[in-house]
Amino acid sequence: MNEIIAIIIAAVLSWLNFVLIDTWMGLPEKPGVKGADVIGRSVLKRGGNLAGGFFQGNIVCSPDASAGTLLSSAACYTIGTPEGGLIAALLVYIGNRLCADPGYAGTTGALTITAIIFATSYIGIGPADFIVGMVLAIVIIQGLHHPLASKLLGKIAKKMGRHTTLT
């Protein structure tokens, strides 16, 4: 498969994995820490969506989901699929418990991205493509335009019943 196409597909799958799991786990509903509240309200002041801002703030302040999926991709690349991804998911789980993080978004994301990498390896999309794709997905969610990205994240949260009730 063409490497550029493989990276684009990996980025889309990584973005969907990241956003859907984190939304399902409730990241847009409320800030988990003070920093997420500050970021969410700052994004709202700049014309964004509060739920999307909370999502972005929770990711910045507790990056276990993005780190877990990147770690899984890298582990699948170096150790093999699915063994590497399972080891990465275990490490993310242990890290969350050490930090008393009540969520399982990172562990869940690490497990699902491992399954996705395993499945797509049969059509020529490998773990290295997912490493690049996940970086692109994170940049799109966090780095391009916070208010616009927060509006999209807020719409997804609303459709999934996870929009914030805070004002």
Side-chain angles (χ1 to χ4, degrees):
M1 174 174 285
N2 180 308
E3 191 172 21
I4 301 296
I5 293 171
I7 290 171
I8 291 169
I9 292 170
V12 169
L13 292 173
S14 296
W15 190 92
L16 288 170
N17 182 63
F18 189 42
V19 170
L20 294 177
I21 286 175
D22 285 0
T23 301
W24 175 58
M25 293 283 183
L27 269 63
E29 290 181 302
K30 63 183 180 200
V33 294
K34 180 87 174 140
D37 185 57
V38 171
I39 290 169
R41 296 194 187 282
S42 173
V43 169
L44 179 65
K45 285 180 188 173
R46 291 182 282 137
N49 180 280
L50 185 59
F54 285 162
F55 181 103
Q56 292 171 325
N58 280 317
I59 296 302
V60 168
C61 297
S62 179
D64 71 314
S66 54
T69 52
L70 275 171
L71 179 60
S72 293
S73 299
C76 286
Y77 180 73
T78 56
I79 299 171
T81 306
E83 301 87 1
L86 297 174
I87 291 169
L90 176 65
L91 292 174
V92 171
Y93 176 80
I94 291 169
N96 284 348
R97 303 298 62 87
L98 290 174
C99 297
D101 186 337
Y104 295 95
T107 305
T108 305
L111 290 170
T112 55
I113 202 69
T114 299
I116 291 167
I117 292 169
F118 182 75
T120 58
S121 68
Y122 289 104
I123 60 168
I125 304 173
D129 300 318
F130 276 92
I131 293 170
V132 176
M134 192 62 207
V135 170
L136 291 173
I138 292 168
V139 167
I140 291 167
I141 292 168
Q142 295 286 37
L144 292 180
H145 191 269
H146 292 116
L148 186 60
S150 74
K151 288 178 184 177
L152 175 60
L153 295 169
K155 285 180 183 178
I156 293 168
K158 191 171 245 177
K159 285 193 184 289
M160 292 180 69
R162 293 297 204 171
H163 202 274
T164 188
T165 56
L166 302 175
T167 56

